[in-house]
Amino acid sequence: MTTSKKFAIRVSEKRNGWCAEITRQVTSRKQVVSKREQGFETEALAQEWAEKELAQFVENQVKRNERKADQRAERNERQEREAAERKAAAMRKRSEAALAQEADDEEDF
């Protein structure tokens, strides 16, 4: 069984041949099957398929993580920009209110 930190390969014999599974470690006690293929004639064929699929699976995960990180960075930048705009609008509104208050005070005299 090939293992890495997060993913592992599990090959087992079933009634209709060999079964290869790519498992993901969810917690220290729980594993989930991410991908499964059944019906291999030999253990070697199942192992070969699993190793090839695991490499491709991990590569897809890396690409997905990069995409998500880019989206997160864009979202954070947009939120910071919107917060700065709201803050500037609030400051403008306060300064306009202060000017209006000063004008009202001057008119009273």
Side-chain angles (χ1 to χ4, degrees), residues 102-109:
E102 283 181 20
D104 289 344
D105 289 344
E106 288 178 8
E107 287 177 6
D108 290 342
F109 289 113

Side-chain angles (χ1 to χ4, degrees), residues 30-63:
K30 185 176 179 184
Q31 285 188 341
V32 174
V33 176
S34 297
K35 200 165 192 176
R36 174 184 293 139
E37 185 72 26
Q38 298 177 343
F40 292 103
E41 294 181 13
T42 64
E43 182 181 8
L45 288 173
Q47 184 72 26
E48 181 182 332
W49 176 88
E51 288 174 358
K52 183 183 72 164
E53 287 297 315
L54 178 61
Q56 186 178 15
F57 195 81
V58 170
E59 182 180 332
N60 287 343
Q61 286 296 111
V62 168
K63 289 179 183 176

